[in-house]
Structures are given as C-alpha cells and as structure tokens.
C-alpha cells in the first residue's frame, strides 16, 4: 500500500468517488469551486492505493494558509471525511503523518458525512458535535408535501404568497453580490462570523449553477430582492447551502417561501433527501426552524487535532473573539492578508 497526494485530481479520482460516495462535495467539480472560492487554499487529495494502483481509501481536503498557521480541512463549507474501504483507516494514519509534516500542517479538521459516518475516536482526535437535519422526500409529490406540513408552516407560506412574494432563479452573474449582501446582513443580524468570501459564491455560480448542479433562488416583492437561498445537488440529495435576507422584509416570511420552493425543486429532481446541513449544537432556534419542515436530526462529528500547539493557540484566540464586533473586524482583516 502506498499513500499518494494529488493537488489536481484526475478522472481516476472521479471514477473512485462515483463508486463510493453520492456527494458532489467529494468530486473534482467541488474541488474547482473551493480552489476558486478560497484564494489562500491548496487542494490536497490523499489516496491510499494498492499494488495495482487502485484507490482503496481516500481523504479529500484543502490546505488553507493563514500566514501564521496552516489548516487542513476535509472539507471546508461542506462534508468531507474518508471515502472507500474503512478497513484501511489504521494503515492510512500510519503513513499520513510524514505528509502532514511535509506540508507543514498545523491543525487538522475532518467533517464526516452524515450519509456514511465514521468514528475517529480511536485515533486521538478531539470532537466538535453539530446537528444536521435531513428530510426524506423520496416518493413525495408536491401535494403530499403540502399536506404533510404543520399548520404553522402552511400559514407562513400562505402569508408570503398573500404579500405577493415571488420566487425566481438567478439570471446572471451580476446578481451574486446581491445574494452576498443578504448573507452579510443575516450574519450581522445573527451575530455570527462571516465564514465565506464572495469568491466562493461566484465559484458556485460559475461551476455549479451554470451546469445545473446548483441553484440560487431569490424572493422578490414588486421586483425588489428581499431574500435568497442556495441549494446544491448531489446524487439523490439536495443540500441547502446558504441563505440570506434583508431584515426589514422578514415579517413577509420570504425564507419560508424559499425553503418550500427548494424542497419542491428536490422533488422535481427526484431526490431522496433534502439536507438542511449542519447547525451549531447550541443554536436551538435554527434547529427548530429546520425541524419544523418534518426533518429528522442526527449528530454530526467534526474531528480535530492540533499538530503545532503554539500556532494553534493563535487560532483559538481568533475563534474566541470571532463573535464580537472587534473579532469580526479582525477576521476580515486577517482574511484579506491571506489573499
């Protein structure tokens, strides 16, 4: 068995993923999204291969360079984790350490997939637990979907319709900044750090929306943009990726209208699941919002390990202050430095 690392995976990678994972996040097209979206990132796709050159186990990821420390994410902004035959996990870790040193990785973060979870508790990793909500939509019709909603959900959607809220798909690249302004306002309103740069949303539009592998929906009233939602399509799964809204229009329930439309699109695309993706474990309001649609919750593990203790201390400090006004300004300044 030999360990290989690819900075630009080829068709061999996609053939392996097609046999072992339904997730678009594990494919080369998502690698291109991340490469364009994170200017300080370098793709690192590790593979454990047998004597014939066949991949038996793989770990896709991105190395993000923050000047003072390097973080290996599997994968940022999505699910990552191992793909393939889990019996080779121990062998993988036994040969991976030298590669970690060669790439000067200071911190490792591996987010598992809820569609094929894997525990790394036996390998001395710390665990961050989040909550993911998944709704089964297989064999649903739009009529069955509507009848299955709680009364409160139907009431919110009716309110949006009566307020003349209309849903439309993005029509040009020039609309991406509009969505990003909504996203920024939502993060500010929720006192949450801005995780993703606008480049990531441009990359999603260029690489996914134009190829019918994702969609950006807008809620409008009288032609004015009031809210937006991005979903991404995997094999049989529709993922809610991001959303945003302008605060003064929230009383019109545009977000409920957007989620209802996105779930309907999942039915149209013959998806089996609508994935609301992860929520912080302490954000019960967000969890309740996702649960009200009829989804089921399960815990999702992100495994972390500090390689360089001193440099990781800097990252801990940054995380500690990230929910403050000063902290958000610091992170934004730091992100600009890393570009």
């Amino acid at each position: 068995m030999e360990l290989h690392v690819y900075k630009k995976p080829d068709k061999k990678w996609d053939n392996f993923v097609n046999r072992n994972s339904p997730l678009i996040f594990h494919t080369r097209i998502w690698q291109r999204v991340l490469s364009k979206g994170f200017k300080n990132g370098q793709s690192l796709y590790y593979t454990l291969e047998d004597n014939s050159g066949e991949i038996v186990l793989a770990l896709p990821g991105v190395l993000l360079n923050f000047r003072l420390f390097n973080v290996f994410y599997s994968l940022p902004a999505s699910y990552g984790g191992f793909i393939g035959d889990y019996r080779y996990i121990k062998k993988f870790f036994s040969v991976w350490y030298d590669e970690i040193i060669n790439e000067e990785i200071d911190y490792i973060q591996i987010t598992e997939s809820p569609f094929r979870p894997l525990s790394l508790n036996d390998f001395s990793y710390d665990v961050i637990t989040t909550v993911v909500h998944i709704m089964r939509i297989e064999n649903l019709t739009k009529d069955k979907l509507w009848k299955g909603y709680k009364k409160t959900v139907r009431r919110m959607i009716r309110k949006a319709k009566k307020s003349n809220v209309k849903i439309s798909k993005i029509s040009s690249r020039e609309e991406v900044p509009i969505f990003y302004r909504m996203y920024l306002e939502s993060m500010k309103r929720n006192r949450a750090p801005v995780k993703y740069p606008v480049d990531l949303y441009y990359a999603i539009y260029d690489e996914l929306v134009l190829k019918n592998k994702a969609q950006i929906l807008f809620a409008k009233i009288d032609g004015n943009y009031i809210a937006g939602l991005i979903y991404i399509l995997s094999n049989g799964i529709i993922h809610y990726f991001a959303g945003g809204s302008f605060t003064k229009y929230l009383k019109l329930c545009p977000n409920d209208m957007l989620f209802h439309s996105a779930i309907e699109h999942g039915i149209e695309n013959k998806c089996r699941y609508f994935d609301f993706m992860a929520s912080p474990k302490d954000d019960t309001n967000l969890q309740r919002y996702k649960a009200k649609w009829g989804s089921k919750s399960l815990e999702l593990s992100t495994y972390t390990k500090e390689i360089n203790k001193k440099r990781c201390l800097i990252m801990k400090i940054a995380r500690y202050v990230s929910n403050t006004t000063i902290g958000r300004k610091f992170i934004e300044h730091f992100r600009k430095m890393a570009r």
Side-chain angles (χ1 to χ4, degrees):
M1 293 286 180
E2 289 188 356
L3 186 72
H4 298 263
V5 58
Y6 299 92
K7 295 185 178 180
K8 287 187 177 181
D10 54 18
K11 289 184 179 180
K12 177 181 177 180
W13 173 268
D14 274 351
N15 290 336
F16 171 76
V17 171
N18 288 338
R19 296 193 304 269
N20 291 278
S21 173
L23 300 181
I24 192 172
F25 306 123
H26 291 156
T27 65
R28 281 193 298 164
I29 192 170
W30 187 248
Q31 180 265 333
R32 292 196 294 272
V33 169
L34 296 180
S35 294
K36 292 181 178 181
F38 295 98
K39 302 300 185 183
N40 60 326
Q42 171 63 62
S43 297
L44 294 177
Y45 282 51
Y46 293 100
T47 63
L48 189 65
E49 302 180 15
D50 63 20
N51 295 334
S52 66
E54 288 294 316
I55 301 173
V56 297
L57 186 70
L59 181 66
V62 174
L63 181 65
L64 295 182
N65 182 344
F66 294 101
R67 294 288 179 91
L68 296 179
F69 52 85
N70 295 321
V71 182
F72 175 79
Y73 284 97
S74 179
L75 282 158
S78 60
Y79 305 128
F82 286 93
I83 314 166
D85 192 337
Y86 289 173
R87 292 177 299 175
Y88 294 97
I89 292 287
K90 187 174 182 179
K91 175 63 177 178
F92 182 96
F93 279 123
S94 71
V95 295
W96 191 37
Y97 185 75
D98 288 341
E99 290 294 334
I100 293 172
I101 300 302
N102 289 339
E103 296 292 346
E104 298 182 341
I105 295 172
D106 302 310
Y107 183 80
I108 298 169
Q109 183 164 312
I110 301 172
T111 300
E112 67 176 350
S113 163
F115 299 96
R116 198 185 175 204
L118 169 69
S119 173
L120 299 181
N121 292 333
D122 294 336
F123 298 96
S124 302
Y125 276 73
D126 295 322
V127 182
I128 300 171
T129 303
T130 55
V131 179
V132 65
H133 285 78
I134 297 175
M135 178 181 178
R136 191 177 186 91
I137 59 175
E138 187 176 21
N139 299 324
L140 277 183
T141 63
K142 292 181 181 180
D143 184 59
K144 287 182 179 179
L145 174 70
W146 180 258
K147 291 179 179 178
Y149 284 152
K150 296 178 180 179
K151 291 182 179 179
T152 53
V153 173
R154 291 198 296 265
R155 185 168 64 247
M156 295 295 187
I157 298 170
R158 287 193 186 104
K159 182 177 181 180
K161 289 181 177 180
K162 289 180 179 178
S163 301
N164 202 33
V165 174
K166 305 293 184 183
I167 304 298
S168 62
K169 297 178 180 179
I170 191 170
S171 59
S172 73
R173 199 173 191 268
E174 284 67 37
E175 291 177 289
V176 172
I178 299 173
F179 176 85
Y180 196 66
R181 288 199 298 272
M182 296 174 177
Y183 166 72
L184 292 178
E185 183 162 328
S186 295
M187 294 300 101
K188 183 178 180 180
R189 182 174 65 242
N190 296 322
R191 298 181 179 179
V194 176
K195 293 182 179 180
Y196 309 131
V198 68
D199 289 336
L200 180 63
Y201 296 102
Y202 277 122
I204 288 173
Y205 179 81
D206 294 337
E207 294 291 339
L208 300 182
V209 173
L210 293 180
K211 298 171 184 176
N212 296 318
K213 295 182 181 296
Q215 190 53 257
I216 301 176
L217 301 178
F218 287 112
K220 299 179 184 178
I221 186 166
D222 298 327
N224 296 312
Y225 297 85
I226 63 175
L229 179 149
I230 296 177
Y231 68 74
I232 295 173
L233 294 169
S234 283
N235 184 12
I237 307 164
I238 178 170
H239 309 273
Y240 161 68
F241 183 78
S245 55
F246 293 131
T247 305
K248 66 179 181 179
Y249 294 108
L250 287 179
K251 62 183 179 181
L252 303 180
C253 304
N255 291 322
D256 296 274
M257 188 81 164
L258 282 166
F259 270 99
H260 174 58
S261 297
I263 296 170
E264 286 191 327
H265 288 189
I267 293 173
E268 292 170 2
N269 282 280
K270 301 187 184 305
C271 293
R272 297 188 300 276
Y273 302 101
F274 188 96
D275 175 18
F276 290 85
M277 298 196 75
S279 306
K281 198 169 185 179
D282 59 354
D283 194 339
T284 54
N285 288 334
L286 182 57
Q287 291 175 39
R288 279 195 294 269
Y289 184 85
K290 293 178 177 180
K292 77 176 186 177
W293 298 92
S295 62
K296 303 296 183 183
S297 66
L298 63 150
E299 290 190 344
L300 185 74
S301 295
T302 294
Y303 297 94
T304 67
K305 178 173 283 192
E306 296 180 357
I307 306 300
N308 187 312
K309 300 291 185 181
K310 291 182 180 179
R311 291 183 179 179
C312 286
L313 179 61
I314 298 173
M315 185 167 65
K316 286 182 178 180
I317 294 172
R319 282 182 172 178
Y320 178 78
V321 300
S322 64
N323 287 325
T324 67
T325 301
I326 295 175
R328 286 192 291 271
K329 290 181 179 179
F330 170 79
I331 291 172
E332 182 60 28
H333 175 70
F334 205 57
R335 184 182 288 116
K336 290 178 180 178
M337 288 177 59
R339 290 179 179 175

